[in-house]
Amino acid sequence: MPEKMSRRKLLASASQAIAAGGLSAYAASAPSPAVAPRSTKGMDYYEKLGVVPFINAAGTYTILTASTMPEEVQSAVALAARKPVHLMELHEAAGQYLAQKLHCGGALVTSGAAAGLTLGTAACITLGNKDAIVRIPTDMSELKNEVIVQKAHRYEYDHAMRNCGVKVVEVETMEQYGNAFNDKTVMTNFFNAVDAPISREDWIRVAHQHGVPCFNDAAADVPPISNLWNYTQMGFDLVAFSGGKGMRGPQCAGLLLGRKDLIEAARLNNSPNSNAVGRGLKVAKEEIVGMVAAVDWFLKQDDAAMETEFHKRAQRIADLVAKVPTVQTKIFIPPIANHVPHLVINYDSQRIRTTGLEVMQKLREGKPRIELNPATGGGPASAGLPSSPDTIVVGVWMLQPGEDVIVGRRLREVLQAALQ
Ligand SMILES: *Cc1c(COP(=O)(O)O)cnc(C)c1O
């Protein structure tokens, strides 16, 4: 588990094309020079604060500020920021719109997938018992407080459930699973991106036999776009996504989708209600509108076109670095989370005398700064990416037009310099 926990630590949201708008962003694949961020009115506070942005060759990692919003999402946020509205009216209208678009009973814009996990857990505890909202997490007497999880699905985000005063009950086999239910069982959680002995279908079926709702944490699991409804339609009662990862909404946004009654219960545990576990999980009008606009943007994309474009970017970088002796490249698509083409670079470390971590550091310190995928050099790999001391992993999906060539040239330069 410690290994998985550290892997998850870096798994989060990342950054893509400020300049990109709509499908054309992915279809326009000419290796043009890097596009300067569009001029906007106002002070550049990164410059003022001396914080230097980088080229995101990593992916959608929270610590790297996740994704950047496409232009049309940025515009929607900027417009929304200008006028006050009633927060609950906005929450409800956004929820109805999203539930309809994403083919589920109910939807709530949350401050992220982790917030979705907290609010979903709170919803299961307090469904039909509003008095319980105030008691979470310090007065759990007489409240259901056990969540069943497969051992392989334990992760650091368990804390988001434990915020509600629950304890996690681990199971490994179907037999243990069936026996784990009792009158304290309030929910089960499934970590969507990681293989575990009990399948999604069995997981849902047994829980429902016991009348217990199933949560699915699918935070990083789009594309494919259809995952936004695949898991709710499969029978998961609650499904959480990060807004700032593949959907490229605001980083402090996410989706909680699922059964209407549970979503309604989640809403009651959320900000702006003050005496509730979710008060600190506030989303403002900017995040709510940004999340809805990001969903609209994302639904207009095309899985095949995105994959083709990411593949082309990876190939352009591969063609540049493959000129260095012993360098080998392959294009790799992780199975579930971050399910997009990544470039994996290997080399003979007897000939190229440097480690992946050293390469990563050189790129980080260069001009422009470049961040490689954290699986590079045997670092904490994210969900299924190859990782070893002499492996370099390039996440291409958050690159802006033209940046692939910059990354490829810089990598070639650094590897060439280490060649003996
Ligand atoms: C990124 C991630 C989260 C957290 O998502 P936020 O939107 O940052 O709250 C939770 N679970 C998994 C599996 C993730 O990958």
Side-chain angles (χ1 to χ4, degrees), residues 356-366 370 372 410:
L357 288 178
E358 286 165 357
V359 172
M360 198 173 194
Q361 193 56 29
K362 287 213 170 80
L363 265 63
R364 184 173 288 149
E365 288 165 359
I370 297 169
L372 291 172
R410 178 72 178 135

Side-chain angles (χ1 to χ4, degrees), residues 328-404:
Q328 308 228 319
T329 62
K330 69 168 190 258
I331 293 175
F332 178 83
I333 303 184
I336 299 181
N338 307 304
H339 182 62
V340 288
H342 289 64
L343 182 67
V344 178
I345 302 170
N346 285 290
Y347 53 90
D348 179 354
S349 53
Q350 297 300 308
R351 294 288 313 284
I352 299 178
R353 308 287 294 178
T354 188
T355 64
L357 288 178
E358 286 165 357
V359 172
M360 198 173 194
Q361 193 56 29
K362 287 213 170 80
L363 265 63
R364 184 173 288 149
E365 288 165 359
K367 263 190 177 174
R369 298 175 86 179
I370 297 169
E371 279 296 331
L372 291 172
N373 186 279
T376 298
S382 58
L385 280 163
S387 187
S388 78
D390 47 12
T391 300
I392 295 166
V393 181
V394 187
V396 298
W397 60 323
M398 296 296 141
L399 292 174
Q400 301 190 27
E403 289 182 341
D404 46 9

Side-chain angles (χ1 to χ4, degrees), residues 140-412:
M140 300 298 286
S141 53
E142 292 142 51
L143 298 180
K144 296 185 181 192
N145 69 339
E146 290 185 11
V147 175
I148 306 176
V149 178
Q150 293 189 71
K151 192 164 194 238
H153 285 177
R154 295 301 307 275
Y155 58 177
E156 58 196 359
Y157 297 109
D158 287 343
H159 206 131
M161 301 187 288
R162 292 196 291 111
N163 286 350
C164 296
V166 298
K167 63 177 195 178
V168 178
V169 177
E170 276 181 19
V171 298
E172 286 182 276
T173 63
M174 276 296 274
E175 197 192 350
Q176 289 170 355
Y177 184 36
N179 290 335
F181 289 88
N182 62 50
D183 57 9
K184 285 278 182 191
T185 309
V186 70
M187 189 178 91
T188 71
N189 186 31
F190 194 94
F191 177 9
N192 194 55
V194 166
D195 272 344
I198 305 174
S199 71
R200 291 179 184 79
E201 290 77 7
D202 286 342
W203 190 254
I204 294 168
R205 184 175 44 77
V206 173
H208 287 177
Q209 279 165 5
H210 290 89
V212 171
C214 296
F215 193 104
N216 186 348
D217 179 351
D221 304 349
V222 290
I225 295 162
S226 59
N227 276 356
L228 288 174
W229 47 89
N230 286 342
Y231 301 118
T232 45
Q233 298 204 335
M234 188 182 284
F236 282 104
D237 304 277
L238 290 166
V239 182
F241 291 95
S242 283
K245 293 180 182 171
M247 277 183 276
R248 295 183 51 198
Q251 185 178 14
C252 282
L255 295 174
L256 181 63
L257 308 175
R259 251 171 59 189
K260 198 171 171 33
D261 59 339
L262 286 172
I263 295 294
E264 199 43 51
R267 201 189 301 286
L268 297 175
N269 283 279
N270 197 22
S271 172
N273 301 300
S274 300
N275 200 349
V277 68
R279 179 59 182 84
L281 308 176
K282 179 167 61 186
V283 278
K285 56 190 178 306
E286 292 82 2
E287 280 95 28
I288 299 173
V289 167
M291 188 70 253
V292 176
V295 167
D296 275 345
W297 174 82
F298 195 57
L299 292 177
K300 277 188 281 180
Q301 309 305 306
D302 176 87
D303 289 325
M306 284 192 278
E307 184 168 329
T308 304
E309 166 59 18
F310 301 150
H311 210 277
K312 280 187 194 160
R313 294 179 194 175
Q315 194 56 52
R316 254 181 239 127
I317 299 171
D319 290 346
L320 285 162
V321 294
K323 300 203 168 92
V324 185
T326 81
V327 166
Q328 308 228 319
T329 62
K330 69 168 190 258
I331 293 175
F332 178 83
I333 303 184
I336 299 181
N338 307 304
H339 182 62
V340 288
H342 289 64
L343 182 67
V344 178
I345 302 170
N346 285 290
Y347 53 90
D348 179 354
S349 53
Q350 297 300 308
R351 294 288 313 284
I352 299 178
R353 308 287 294 178
T354 188
T355 64
L357 288 178
E358 286 165 357
V359 172
M360 198 173 194
Q361 193 56 29
K362 287 213 170 80
L363 265 63
R364 184 173 288 149
E365 288 165 359
K367 263 190 177 174
R369 298 175 86 179
I370 297 169
E371 279 296 331
L372 291 172
N373 186 279
T376 298
S382 58
L385 280 163
S387 187
S388 78
D390 47 12
T391 300
I392 295 166
V393 181
V394 187
V396 298
W397 60 323
M398 296 296 141
L399 292 174
Q400 301 190 27
E403 289 182 341
D404 46 9
V405 175
I406 298 173
V407 172
R409 286 189 183 139
R410 178 72 178 135
L411 274 172
R412 183 180 62 191

